[in-house]
């Protein structure tokens, strides 16, 4: 939310150094009001390994023990800095398969993956209605590094990074079922052994039936 941006930026400036010092990265941060009160949700992970294909599952994923450790550390730091006026609960979690994307590094690292992006400020499109929601294939950043490129139904959009409200990966569930991360775009399904597409060509004939490549009648009169 635009009205929360100063607070969120303040929280990021406090939280990120703590995480980075212990080998974590801040994936996402949300401060939301739910039925039980205000909640500060912090999503953490290990920094992406550039040598590892995004379609592979990282070997050192964040687990429950990591989240508990980070929660204790952040609670202590936030109690000292006290940037939030109202009472709130702190929740620390690891990213799921539909991993949030927040920084320029995230959008660059996961280029080629399917993603959903929601804009805080609608994108003005010439000769078309303004648009907030985009689902397509990430294409990284522009040369200046301030816009995210995404291909949607054959059309490329460049979205200002500062105007993005939320973004997350759309996993390839077939890949997930094969033990992969689900990122990196869809992969072709393996062909079953002994199966191949039919090679028979079919054309229509004047009688309305179908004929093979040899014609309706292979014999000579």
């Amino acid at each position: 939310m635009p009205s929360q941006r100063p607070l969120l930026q303040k929280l990021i400036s406090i939280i990120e150094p703590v995480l980075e010092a212990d080998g974590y990265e801040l994936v996402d941060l949300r401060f939301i009001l739910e039925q039980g009160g205000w909640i500060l949700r912090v999503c953490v992970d290990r920094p992406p390994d550039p040598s590892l294909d995004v379609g592979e599952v990282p070997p050192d994923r964040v687990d429950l023990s990591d989240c508990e450790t980070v929660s204790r550390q952040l609670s202590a730091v936030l109690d000292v800095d006290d940037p939030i006026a109202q009472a709130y609960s702190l929740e620390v979690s690891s990213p799921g398969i539909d991993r949030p994307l927040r920084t320029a590094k995230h959008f660059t690292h996961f280029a080629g993956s399917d993603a959903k992006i929601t804009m805080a400020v609608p994108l003005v499109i010439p000769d078309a209605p303004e648009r907030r929601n985009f689902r397509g294939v990430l294409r990284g950043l522009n040369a200046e590094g301030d816009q995210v490129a995404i291909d949607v139904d054959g059309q490329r959009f460049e979205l200002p990074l500062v105007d993005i409200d939320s973004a997350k990966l759309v996993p390839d569930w077939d890949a997930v079922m094969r033990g992969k991360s689900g990122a990196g775009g869809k992969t072709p399904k393996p062909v079953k052994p002994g199966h191949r597409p039919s090679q028979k060509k079919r054309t229509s004939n004047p009688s309305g039936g179908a004929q093979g490549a040899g014609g309706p009648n292979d014999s000579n009169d």
Side-chain angles (χ1 to χ4, degrees):
M1 297 179 182
S3 61
Q4 285 191 345
R5 286 197 174 184
L7 173 60
L8 294 178
Q9 290 301 320
K10 175 65 175 178
L11 288 167
I12 290 171
S13 70
I14 295 171
I15 291 171
E16 272 192 326
V18 176
L19 296 179
E20 291 173 357
D22 287 328
Y24 301 100
E25 73 157 348
L26 177 62
V27 175
D28 197 30
L29 183 145
R30 299 279 155 174
F31 187 55
I32 58 176
L33 179 61
E34 294 191 347
Q35 189 172 5
W38 285 94
I39 299 175
L40 177 60
R41 287 206 171 106
V42 180
C43 181
V44 301
D45 200 2
R46 300 291 183 184
D49 182 354
S51 67
L52 184 69
D53 187 279
V54 295
E56 299 297 326
V57 177
D60 56 345
R61 290 180 293 177
V62 167
D63 57 20
L64 179 59
S65 176
D66 291 307
C67 292
E68 291 173 345
T69 299
V70 170
S71 180
R72 288 193 296 269
Q73 292 172 330
L74 294 184
S75 292
V77 172
L78 292 171
D79 284 346
V80 173
D81 286 284
D82 200 20
I84 301 175
Q86 58 267 60
Y88 68 95
S89 298
L90 173 64
E91 292 183 359
V92 177
S93 64
S94 60
I97 295 174
D98 54 345
R99 187 188 197 277
L101 307 170
R102 182 179 61 89
T103 68
K105 287 184 178 180
H106 293 166
F107 289 104
T108 299
H109 181 73
F110 288 100
S113 301
D114 290 346
K116 285 182 180 179
I117 299 177
T118 299
M119 305 298 293
V121 178
L123 185 71
V124 177
I125 305 172
D127 303 320
E130 294 182 343
R131 185 167 178 172
R132 284 183 181 270
N133 299 305
F134 300 83
R135 175 173 175 170
V137 180
L138 291 176
R139 296 304 181 193
L141 301 180
N142 63 350
E144 292 75 21
D146 59 357
Q147 293 185 329
V148 176
I150 185 170
D151 289 346
V152 181
D153 298 329
Q155 183 177 2
R156 178 158 299 184
F157 296 92
E158 292 193 345
L159 313 178
L161 185 58
V162 296
D163 291 339
I164 292 177
D165 178 58
S166 64
K168 63 180 181 179
L169 296 177
V170 177
D172 176 1
W173 289 104
D174 288 335
V176 172
M177 295 300 292
R178 298 196 300 272
K180 303 296 184 179
S181 72
K186 294 187 180 298
T187 55
K189 293 182 179 179
V191 177
K192 294 180 180 179
H195 174 77
R196 63 179 181 178
S198 174
Q199 301 297 315
K200 185 182 291 185
K201 296 181 180 179
R202 302 183 70 85
T203 59
S204 61
N205 64 28
S207 65
Q211 65 184 50
N217 189 347
D218 291 336
S219 62
N220 294 323
D221 293 335

